[in-house]
Amino acid sequence: AIVDGTEVCFYVDSYDDMIIGTVMPVSEYFEQRYTQTISVSISIFIIFLLLLIFIGMLINRKIVKGIHNIVAGLQRVEKGNFNLKIEEFGNKEFKILSTGINSMVDGISKNIKDNEKLMRQQKNIFDKNLQLIENIKNVSLEINTASKKTVDMANSIYSGSTNQEDSLAALN
């Protein structure tokens, strides 16, 4: 409606058998609406920003921190520490991952201990084989010496037999 040449908005309502109304120029009405819209938009933006910061902190605490803990544990394993346990219980997936890594590290540790035991056993067997070879060498040398003595004795007996035959022939 237009009142006194100014476009206006009006609102009418009934109250206790009376009709009450108000009139406001359109420019003033929309200025207040514009101010309200800006205020609501800024408020929504601030709430959204705070929510985004909260979600970022939550993701950092629940996910990024868990990943960093697991990576730090894996780096210690890489450096040879097989006695550690990665304990990450931030969420179900990290718990499963840390349990799997711990099982793998336990398996590696057990394999290393088993290999060390086998290496000690192989060293003992090697040492025994060296001793056996040394014993065989000594026995071979003793057999060689005994064989030489036997050959020398056989030659001496043969020579003695020939001398005896020559002596007998000279007597006859």
Side-chain angles (χ1 to χ4, degrees):
I2 297 180
V3 176
D4 292 332
T6 305
E7 191 175 1
V8 295
C9 294
F10 61 91
Y11 179 75
V12 178
D13 201 359
S14 64
Y15 180 75
D16 287 335
D17 294 330
M18 294 190 302
I19 295 179
I20 300 175
T22 184
V23 176
M24 179 182 277
V26 170
S27 61
E28 193 177 312
Y29 175 78
F30 282 119
E31 183 179 315
Q32 285 181 353
R33 285 291 203 186
Y34 178 73
T35 304
Q36 286 175 347
T37 303
I38 294 295
S39 297
V40 168
S41 296
I42 290 173
S43 298
I44 289 173
F45 177 75
I46 290 172
I47 290 170
F48 178 74
L49 186 62
L50 291 173
L51 187 60
L52 191 62
I53 290 171
F54 175 74
I55 290 171
M57 288 172 33
L58 183 65
I59 288 174
N60 184 44
R61 193 177 84 213
K62 292 286 186 177
I63 296 175
V64 175
K65 186 177 175 186
I67 290 172
H68 286 301
N69 287 343
I70 290 172
V71 168
L74 288 173
Q75 287 172 340
R76 289 191 308 264
V77 169
E78 182 181 15
K79 292 178 182 174
N81 183 357
F82 296 107
N83 296 323
L84 75 104
K85 294 288 181 210
I86 297 174
E87 295 184 19
E88 183 54 49
F89 301 104
N91 62 40
K92 179 181 166 187
E93 289 80 12
F94 287 153
K95 183 177 180 182
I96 292 169
L97 182 61
S98 64
T99 301
I101 290 171
N102 288 337
S103 294
M104 182 178 62
V105 170
D106 289 343
I108 291 170
S109 179
K110 182 184 178 305
N111 286 339
I112 287 173
K113 288 176 185 174
D114 289 346
N115 284 341
E116 288 172 349
K117 181 180 176 184
L118 285 173
M119 288 177 70
R120 281 191 303 273
Q121 288 173 347
Q122 286 178 343
K123 185 181 180 323
N124 288 339
I125 290 170
F126 180 76
D127 290 343
K128 288 178 182 179
N129 284 343
L130 280 178
Q131 185 61 41
L132 183 61
I133 290 170
E134 187 65 30
N135 289 344
I136 291 171
K137 178 182 158 188
N138 290 337
V139 168
S140 295
L141 287 174
E142 288 176 18
I143 290 173
N144 188 32
T145 303
S147 294
K148 282 183 181 179
K149 286 181 182 179
T150 303
V151 167
D152 288 344
M153 288 176 104
N155 285 337
S156 174
I157 291 172
Y158 177 73
S159 294
S161 297
T162 306
N163 289 339
Q164 285 178 358
E165 286 179 5
D166 289 344
S167 296
L168 279 177
L171 281 175
N172 286 334

